[in-house]
Amino acid sequence: MTRRTPVGSAVAFVAVALLAGCGAAQTDPPSPLAEPTGSAVEDGRRPLTRPGAPGTLVEPATGLGSRPPAWLGTRELPRTSSGYGEVRPTPPALRNRRFTLPDTVPMLGGKGFAAKVVSPAPGRVIARSTWKPGCPVGPGDLAWVRLAFWGFDAQRHTGELLVHRTVARDIVEVFGTLYRQRFPQEQVVIVRSYDPDAPPTGDGNGTGAFVCRPSTGATYFSQHAHGLAIDLNTFQNPYAKGEVVLPELASAYLRRDRVRAGMIVPSGPVVEAFARIGWEWGGDWQQSLDYQHFSQNGR
C-alpha cells in the first residue's frame, strides 16, 4: 500500500519532503535498455484502436464539470485521526470532472502522438523534482519523458514524467496507446514537492510517476521512489481503504459501475495497455483499492 498525496494545486502535483534516514544514492551510467539521449518517436497516422472504449472521450467535454471551479485547490479540509483530510461529499462541479489544465511544458512538434526521451534526465529537470540524496535511485537512473496526451477538451497536449530509465520505452508505448484510444487526462506532470504536512484540499488531480517517498506506514520506499510506478487521473481514480479516501473529495468516483471519462476500469484501455508491458493495477488489490496506481512489481 502506498500513501497518496493528491494534487492540491491547479497546475501541478503537491508532493511531500523525503523522510530522514534514507540510504545514500548512487549515480549510475545510462542503461542500454533506455532510449538514447534526445531520441524521439511520433505517430500521427494510426487510427483509434478502440474508439468509444470505457473511460475514453472523443468529443470535447461540455457542461458542468468541463471547467475548473475558481476555488480549486484553495479550500482546506480539517484533518482527521488518520492524518488525512476529512472525507466529504464530492462537490457538484467535480462529480463528472472533465477539464484539462494548461500544459506545463512546450508542445511537442508534429501531429498525433509524439514522445521524446532524454536519458539520463538533465540536471535542471532533476532539480525540479523530489529527488535528493538518500533516494533509492540516483539521478542517472531516471529518464525524462515528454509526451503527447489527449485532453478532456479533445485536444492534443504535452506533459512530462520522470521514470526509471529501464522502463522509458514501455511507458512511451503505454501513453501512445492511450492517446490513440482517446483516454483523456487532466495534466501529466513531474511531481515537484512532497510535504505530508501541507494543508489538504482533497481536490487534486493529475498523472505522475517519480516521487521520492516511503510507502504508507512503512520504512521502505514506494515504487514511485524507484520511478517504477505511475498514478493516472488521481481524482477520477481514487485510493480507498476503510474510511480513508484520497483525494478526500473524490468519493463520487468510488462508484465504478458508472464509468465517466478518465476512469480506469478493467474493461478499459488503461489496464490493457499496462498489462501488455507487464505492469499490475492497484484496482485489483485486496486490502485496499488504488484505482490510479500501476507498478512494475504490483506494489
Side-chain angles (χ1 to χ4, degrees):
M1 181 181 72
T2 53
R3 175 179 181 131
R4 297 282 167 266
T5 300
V7 185
S9 158
V11 295
F13 271 78
V14 177
V16 180
L18 174 67
L19 300 182
C22 304
Q26 301 293 323
T27 302
D28 298 332
S31 163
L33 297 177
E35 291 276 356
T37 300
S39 65
V41 296
E42 182 177 344
D43 178 7
R45 295 169 296 178
R46 300 184 192 178
L48 299 184
T49 55
R50 290 178 58 205
T56 62
L57 180 72
V58 177
E59 299 296 328
T62 59
L64 185 64
S66 63
R67 295 180 180 274
W71 46 261
L72 190 71
T74 65
R75 297 176 175 177
E76 182 177 348
L77 297 171
R79 288 188 183 272
T80 67
S81 59
S82 68
Y84 300 106
E86 181 179 274
V87 175
R88 292 182 174 177
T90 305
L94 299 180
R95 289 175 190 165
N96 190 1
R97 183 170 181 157
R98 54 198 193 282
F99 51 81
T100 291
L101 298 173
D103 294 353
T104 58
V105 291
M107 180 74 72
L108 287 172
K111 296 180 179 180
F113 180 74
K116 186 170 185 180
V117 177
V118 180
S119 181
R124 59 185 171 82
V125 176
I126 297 294
R128 54 185 175 83
S129 76
T130 59
W131 187 90
K132 64 190 301 184
C135 295
V137 292
D141 292 316
L142 297 171
W144 181 34
V145 182
R146 284 168 288 170
L147 45 80
F149 69 94
W150 188 250
F152 288 90
D153 54 1
Q155 297 293 319
R156 181 180 189 261
H157 292 266
T158 298
E160 60 176 347
L161 297 168
L162 278 178
V163 300
H164 198 280
R165 54 186 168 78
T166 60
V167 300
R169 286 178 177 172
D170 287 341
I171 297 306
V172 168
E173 176 186 330
V174 166
F175 277 81
T177 297
L178 300 187
Y179 184 93
R180 291 188 293 273
Q181 296 188 356
R182 301 303 190 247
F183 179 81
Q185 297 177 73
E186 184 168 314
Q187 56 179 348
V188 178
V189 295
I190 290 176
V191 180
R192 293 176 177 248
S193 64
Y194 177 62
D195 180 7
D197 297 321
T201 61
D203 58 1
N205 195 19
T207 295
F210 174 77
V211 191
C212 191
R213 61 170 173 81
S215 292
T216 305
T219 58
Y220 56 85
F221 282 102
S222 162
Q223 287 301 294
H224 288 283
H226 296 269
L228 297 174
I230 289 182
D231 290 343
L232 288 90
N233 284 348
T234 54
F235 196 89
Q236 287 92 349
N237 303 289
Y239 168 93
K241 183 179 183 181
E243 296 182 355
V244 174
V245 178
L246 300 173
E248 293 91 340
L249 297 183
S251 56
Y253 280 94
L254 293 179
R255 180 176 174 180
R256 307 305 287 179
D257 59 338
R258 184 188 165 216
V259 181
R260 284 146 282 175
M263 289 177 60
I264 300 168
V265 294
S267 59
V270 186
V271 174
E272 293 179 0
F274 276 100
R276 282 197 291 271
I277 66 168
W279 284 37
E280 298 180 33
W281 182 38
D284 288 330
W285 292 353
Q286 298 299 315
Q287 296 184 353
S288 61
L289 292 170
D290 202 350
Y291 294 113
Q292 63 200 247
H293 183 79
F294 290 87
S295 61
Q296 188 182 60
N297 70 354
R299 297 196 295 271

